[in-house]
Amino acid sequence: MDSNRYEVKCPKKINERAYARTDVPGSKSITNRALLLAAMAHGTSRLKGCLTSEDARHFLECLKVLGFPVEESPDGKLGSDITITGFGGEIPNKKAEIYVGSAGTAARFLVAMLAFSDGEYVVNSSEQMKKRPMQPLIDALEASGATVECMEEAGRFPLHIIGAGDPSQIPDSFTVNIDKSSQFLSALLIAVGTIGKKAEIKVVGSHGLSYVDLTAEMMKSFGISVEKQTMEGQIQYLFSGEGSYKALNYDVEPDMSAAAYFYAMAAVLGVTVAVNGVKKNMLQGDVQFLHVLEKMGCSLQEETDGTVAVTGPEEGALKGGFAIDMSAFSDQALTLAAIAPYADAPITITGIGHIRLQECDRIHAISKNLVALGIRVEEAEDEVTLYPGMPTGGIIETYDDHRVAMSFALTGLRTEGVFIENPSCCKKTFAEYFDVLEKVLSELACQCSKK
């Protein structure tokens, strides 16, 4: 594969009865949360099927620099089994400098952990991560007693952190604004779980909370329960002060964000695709994308082992004519946008203003790339409307954003001459993506040739 540009293989003919089954890496969201919870627990945790992408590598390296014993062994699929020894909330090295790269989850989670420690740290990041917001989390952490100095630009990396110190001196009431990212709340939730007393977190602003629900569920698995309440319109999370994080053997779910691309392939080509390990009752909020595909005319089946298979409508005749709020699973806004031109009526995606502040301005990326392919798009601050049409060939500008690259490869499955610029950006979460994509297409095509 050309490291600078990838030409999507547009299959000439695939039998609509064709079937393929594939693997995807472990969930990025679950892997990163499990790594942090294992580091905060007391004892040795074994995490099975972890994602080993660039983001996870940065997280693991940070934990090693901070002094946590970490061992890794390949799982024989697309990930690794990782063993981490934690020290009950203590960070072994009291002074260190770490680098989080462009890993937003690692950046927010590790900063919160350091702020609740008794050490002094410097956190560096990539230029891309320096553009992403941090101020709401910084405000919440400074209110806890930590010192967080922005070493270059206000509200941005790099950061110099002096931890709040003695947990008994950390306040029991916190407030965090989540308008720009729910990761601020997840980071604070996990950190507050270490102080060992009754506490509350008040939530300001609005954002999809599916990833926060995932955080709370995983905290419970590792030994800390938190209660979500809504009083007079304000959400708050309450800690009983009981329990502590305990070491655990934990199976990481397959990444639903990655699986969605292969299910969307089924929708576009009118075939059946299953992704090993994906179940309807998974923790990840992106599982809601399966219901979006149903709305578009696809059917869902559960195979004998519970794995979900998706069958696209005949000849890929997808249905449109609806608006959908994707605030709770916004990573899939790009996926839906990439296949929306093949629907029979316009589709409006709402509640996604915050994705302008992710690896790139993703609403702008949707608009610019589809317009370049000859598709009509109407862009607003927090929504986008996509009109049906037959795309032309063209070059997809990825903005060094893995999800732009992976999503718009789907558009090229029914349009010749679609090229993905800088495909190597997928290494952030799924370095093998284009290889797996070609393998699935080959499997489908082989069944066609045998008919």
Side-chain angles (χ1 to χ4, degrees):
M1 181 175 69
D2 184 337
S3 61
N4 296 315
R5 187 173 292 174
Y6 174 82
E7 182 177 6
V8 181
K9 278 68 176 176
C10 178
K12 300 295 183 184
K13 184 179 179 182
I14 289 183
N15 191 294
E16 291 176 351
R17 289 172 292 176
Y19 170 94
R21 187 161 174 151
T22 190
D23 288 304
V24 297
S27 163
K28 180 183 80 166
S29 301
I30 292 178
T31 294
N32 287 337
R33 285 163 173 78
L35 291 175
L36 183 64
L37 288 164
M40 288 184 151
H42 183 75
T44 299
S45 295
R46 293 168 179 83
L47 313 176
K48 185 177 180 181
C50 293
L51 176 70
T52 53
S53 66
E54 185 176 67
D55 275 12
R57 292 280 174 213
H58 285 308
F59 208 135
L60 280 173
E61 188 58 32
C62 288
L63 291 177
K64 292 176 183 177
V65 171
L66 293 170
F68 293 97
V70 176
E71 295 181 6
E72 179 184 353
S73 59
D75 67 0
K77 296 181 181 179
L78 291 170
S80 291
D81 298 338
I82 296 172
T83 300
I84 298 178
T85 299
F87 302 95
E90 288 289 322
I91 299 175
N93 292 339
K94 302 303 180 184
K95 194 167 186 176
E97 185 169 333
I98 61 173
Y99 178 75
V100 296
S102 298
T105 312
R108 276 75 181 258
F109 286 12
L110 288 168
V111 163
M113 178 179 76
L114 299 177
F116 276 63
S117 75
D118 58 352
E120 181 176 357
Y121 306 95
V122 172
V123 186
N124 292 306
S125 76
S126 69
E127 290 301 315
Q128 185 188 66
M129 190 64 213
K130 288 180 181 180
K131 299 175 184 176
R132 298 178 67 178
M134 282 293 293
Q135 193 63 56
L137 180 58
I138 291 171
D139 291 341
L141 297 176
E142 288 189 321
S144 75
T147 299
V148 184
E149 175 195 358
C150 299
M151 300 170 68
E152 292 180 6
E153 182 181 347
R156 312 284 179 180
F157 285 103
L159 304 177
H160 174 222
I161 299 171
I162 300 175
D166 185 350
S168 66
Q169 301 303 308
I170 295 176
D172 57 9
S173 182
F174 307 86
T175 301
V176 63
N177 187 299
I178 62 169
D179 278 333
K180 294 181 178 179
S181 177
S182 67
Q183 288 178 354
F184 301 148
L185 175 55
S186 285
L188 195 59
L189 279 168
I190 296 174
V192 171
T194 65
I195 65 176
K197 59 184 177 182
K198 289 185 177 181
E200 64 176 5
I201 301 176
K202 297 177 182 177
V203 180
V204 177
S206 63
H207 200 289
L209 293 178
S210 62
Y211 285 102
V212 178
D213 294 339
L214 168 62
T215 300
E217 191 64 32
M218 290 186 65
M219 289 170 59
K220 183 178 179 181
S221 296
F222 278 85
I224 295 287
S225 294
V226 60
E227 181 185 356
K228 177 182 175 182
Q229 290 187 350
T230 302
M231 299 182 63
E232 298 180 353
Q234 184 178 59
I235 298 171
Q236 58 183 0
Y237 290 82
L238 305 178
F239 292 78
S240 68
E242 299 175 354
S244 61
Y245 292 126
K246 294 179 174 58
L248 188 67
N249 292 336
Y250 192 88
D251 290 337
V252 174
E253 293 178 351
D255 193 279
M256 187 59 213
S257 298
Y261 303 125
F262 296 95
Y263 288 131
M265 174 196 285
V268 169
L269 298 178
V271 298
T272 300
V273 176
V275 180
N276 288 319
V278 170
K279 309 292 176 66
K280 288 184 177 180
N281 62 346
M282 294 203 309
L283 295 174
Q284 300 163 74
D286 278 13
V287 76
Q288 295 181 58
F289 186 69
L290 294 173
H291 302 303
V292 177
L293 293 178
E294 282 187 306
K295 187 185 289 284
M296 299 181 77
C298 298
S299 60
L300 274 56
Q301 308 88 38
E302 286 190 74
E303 306 205 328
T304 55
D305 63 352
T307 292
V308 174
V310 170
T311 300
E314 291 185 6
E315 300 180 353
L318 297 170
K319 297 177 183 177
F322 60 86
I324 182 165
D325 182 344
M326 296 185 74
S327 59
F329 56 116
S330 59
D331 276 351
Q332 296 312 312
L334 277 159
T335 315
L336 177 55
I339 66 174
Y342 301 120
D344 60 7
I347 294 173
T348 298
I349 306 172
T350 67
I352 56 171
H354 61 280
I355 72 173
R356 291 187 181 277
L357 301 171
Q358 294 180 305
E359 282 83 342
C360 73
D361 180 340
R362 288 179 170 170
I363 294 179
H364 174 72
I366 288 170
S367 179
K368 187 175 186 298
N369 282 311
L370 285 179
V371 168
L373 299 182
I375 299 301
R376 180 184 169 195
V377 177
E378 292 180 358
E379 177 184 344
E381 182 58 32
D382 66 348
E383 67 180 46
V384 63
T385 299
L386 314 146
Y387 289 83
M390 189 60 203
T392 60
I395 298 172
I396 300 299
E397 174 57 56
T398 58
Y399 304 95
D400 200 29
D401 187 332
H402 57 132
R403 300 220 178 276
V404 176
M406 291 188 280
S407 295
F408 278 99
L410 302 170
T411 315
L413 296 179
R414 277 173 58 180
T415 297
E416 292 186 358
V418 172
F419 293 84
I420 307 297
E421 197 79 9
N422 186 26
S424 63
C425 66
C426 294
K427 68 182 182 294
K428 181 176 171 66
T429 54
F430 194 173
E432 309 88 347
Y433 174 72
F434 289 105
D435 292 334
V436 176
L437 185 73
E438 289 186 13
K439 183 178 178 182
V440 173
L441 286 172
S442 177
E443 184 177 344
L444 294 169
C446 284
Q447 293 174 48
C448 178
S449 66
K450 293 176 182 179
K451 296 295 179 181

